[in-house]
Amino acid sequence: MFTVVDWIVLVAYLLFSLFIGLWVSRGNKNLKEYMFGGGSMPWIAVGISLIATSVSATTFLGAPADVYGDNMTFLMFQIGAFLSIFVVGAVFIPRFRTSGISSAYELFEVRFSRPVRRLAAVFYCMHLLLRTGILLYAPSLVLAQILHIDLKVAIVVSAAVAIFYTWFGGIKAVIWTDVLQFVVFFGGGALVLVLIANSVGGFGEMARMAGEAGKTKWWDASLDIANARTLISAGFAYAILEIAIRGCDQQFVQRYLSCKDVKAANRSSILSMVLGVVVSILFYWVGAALYVYYNMAKAAVLPEGLGQNDVFPYFIVNGLPVGVTGLIVAAICAAAMSSLSGAINSLSNTSEHDFLGWDENAGIGGLKRAKLWTVLWGVLGVFGALFAATQQGSLLKNALFFTGLFTGPLLGMFLLAFFADKVFGGAESPKKLRGSCVIVAVLCGMASLVLVQGIPAFGVPAVFGGIFSWPWMPFISMTTTIVAALLLNFLVNFVNRIK
């Protein structure tokens, strides 16, 4: 039961989040301060912000549910995350930091053309808006059940707080509230784990029973590409997905640019990866602990027919002391607000830079315009969450489809921008990689994903379904984009030579 004390804890947290966001962001006088914090944000805070944005409320609720129903083999994804750090640190971050850009997609105009840059920006905005809608809807659904309020109210309240402090403070507010939200998020998970362990005889006894139930299995060296829980899918395919996110997502690039130099940006990236491993281990153990609590130690009884996704929310309401329930609900809100605030700030940056054009000397006019973009994208994020609530299919399948649909081709575009000169020559070469070929190649990359995955949101079946598991989707769309661009450009050059 959600008591008055729990409400006080929750409301106090929301108000404190607003206070932190407003306090740290005072002094924003221009667009550069608003978007990049003056390029002097502490790398530790940036690293925490990166992981706070990445994990979202789906980690808090979804990771325990996954282990409760299966095991910890998804921990192998951290192998892919570890590998991605080296690639992003060696290839992406130095180029972003030394190129003088203000947006990740500005590189495409320099290397190819303005249409390519805008196409990339459109893809990014579409992907992030759809993803944000799902990430805001999923925890709001749980909050509505726990707090006994309407789903729309839960969505709007969570969004309103994040929109307000992001509108006021820009990237400074996003980063420092992310630090607070990570502390609450991580602390909430740790507290749940400690409480469950104490109730079943301690950590040793809990671990023993979890092992007996098969919940602690985390390694599978199989090379089965149709299974996401294998080493090749987690260690290789997922590494491509992590590179696409950490290297191509404006949320990450904007934070790299908010650090003072390449070394600080790389430190923030490494810290976020280390924290990601710790967070994954923590919340997978929460799932194992919940299984032990209800099924091995039988410390309490679950209602008949309760699904694995509902076990943790049920425990939050019925298994925690008064006040702690409010803190855990605050942690869910923290994760949801972190996802939204980072998204709308980066979308504002993309809109101002890639669609309207960056003017560092725009002064107060540019700052006001950027704030309007923040509110607009926040409102659209709310509508995205409301749209997600109308979908009948799996939210996870829809989210994974859109991730592969957009991030894979974007990664392919970046790799072409970085390395195509070595194949075709530079901008003055008659064999240079043309922007028109890149645009057609991107469409081919997206089409390839439809062939192997279909379109889950509209019930369109895949022509070659069941061959690849979901971590492979960005790899497929990326590879198709690169190969198609190289072949198309070769054909265009060949035709031009014989004319």
Side-chain angles (χ1 to χ4, degrees), residues 108 116 119-120 123 240 244 248 401-416 438-439 441-449 473-482:
F108 297 138
V116 176
L119 177 67
F123 280 176
I240 302 299
C248 306
F401 171 75
F402 288 119
T403 296
L405 188 68
F406 294 117
T407 58
L410 277 174
L411 178 56
M413 293 169 74
F414 273 107
L415 294 178
L416 289 169
V438 174
I439 292 174
V442 166
L443 298 178
C444 291
M446 298 175 75
S448 70
L449 199 62
M473 299 307 149
F475 172 78
I476 293 170
S477 53
M478 174 204 72
T479 304
T480 305
T481 298
I482 293 174

Side-chain angles (χ1 to χ4, degrees), residues 79-411:
I79 299 173
F82 177 76
L83 295 175
S84 74
I85 289 297
F86 290 97
V87 177
V88 172
V91 177
F92 287 81
I93 291 178
R95 285 174 168 82
F96 290 140
R97 290 290 319 190
T98 59
S99 61
I101 63 170
S102 300
S103 164
Y105 314 115
E106 190 176 342
L107 281 173
F108 297 138
E109 182 174 355
V110 175
R111 180 60 187 83
F112 302 122
S113 64
R114 182 176 290 270
V116 176
R117 174 185 181 179
R118 287 184 171 170
L119 177 67
V122 168
F123 280 176
Y124 172 69
C125 291
M126 291 175 62
H127 164 243
L128 191 55
L129 184 60
L130 291 166
R131 180 178 181 271
T132 300
I134 292 173
L135 293 180
L136 183 59
Y137 163 70
S140 296
L141 185 63
V142 175
L143 291 173
Q145 296 172 350
I146 293 176
L147 303 177
H148 301 291
I149 59 176
D150 185 76
L151 173 61
K152 296 178 181 178
V153 174
I155 291 174
V156 171
V157 171
S158 297
V161 176
I163 291 171
F164 182 75
Y165 68 68
T166 307
W167 165 82
F168 185 85
I171 192 67
K172 289 181 182 178
V174 171
I175 288 175
W176 286 110
T177 52
D178 277 353
V179 172
L180 169 67
Q181 287 158 359
F182 178 81
V183 171
V184 174
F185 172 88
F186 187 84
L191 182 58
V192 168
L193 187 60
V194 169
L195 291 173
I196 295 178
N198 289 339
S199 66
V200 298
F203 281 99
E205 183 64 12
M206 181 185 72
R208 183 189 65 78
M209 288 189 283
E212 287 181 1
K215 297 301 171 182
T216 57
K217 178 185 176 183
W218 69 275
W219 181 259
D220 186 340
S222 169
L223 300 180
D224 182 8
I225 59 176
N227 184 0
R229 297 177 181 274
T230 61
L231 180 60
I232 191 169
S233 295
F236 175 74
Y238 189 76
I240 302 299
L241 174 58
E242 279 285 308
I243 293 169
I245 294 173
R246 291 178 174 274
C248 306
D249 192 322
Q250 178 62 27
Q251 293 185 90
F252 281 77
V253 175
Q254 192 173 347
R255 284 166 174 78
Y256 300 149
L257 297 177
S258 71
C259 296
K260 66 178 182 178
D261 53 31
V262 172
K263 184 180 292 186
N266 266 316
R267 285 174 176 172
S268 71
S269 179
I270 293 170
L271 176 61
S272 70
M273 184 274 296
V274 173
L275 292 177
V277 173
V278 175
V279 166
S280 296
I281 293 173
L282 171 63
F283 283 96
Y284 282 144
W285 268 106
V286 168
L290 286 168
Y291 189 88
V292 168
Y293 183 83
Y294 285 114
N295 297 282
M296 303 293 288
K298 299 189 183 301
V301 178
L302 291 172
E304 194 72 27
L306 195 69
Q308 69 183 60
N309 292 318
D310 299 318
V311 172
F312 194 15
Y314 179 84
F315 177 80
I316 291 172
V317 175
N318 299 281
L320 293 175
V322 172
V324 177
T325 300
L327 179 64
I328 302 304
V329 172
I332 298 174
C333 286
M337 291 190 300
S338 177
S339 298
L340 180 62
S341 63
I344 61 178
N345 184 254
S346 65
L347 286 168
S348 173
N349 182 71
T350 299
S351 301
E352 184 65 24
H353 289 62
D354 297 303
F355 296 129
L356 297 183
W358 165 258
D359 182 3
E360 193 169 330
N361 300 314
I364 195 68
L367 182 59
K368 288 181 178 179
R369 195 166 58 241
K371 289 188 172 185
L372 288 176
W373 278 116
T374 298
V375 175
L376 175 62
W377 283 115
V379 172
L380 290 176
V382 171
F383 280 111
L386 296 175
F387 172 75
T390 67
Q391 299 301 292
Q392 299 300 316
S394 166
L395 288 176
L396 179 60
K397 287 184 179 179
N398 291 339
L400 294 174
F401 171 75
F402 288 119
T403 296
L405 188 68
F406 294 117
T407 58
L410 277 174
L411 178 56

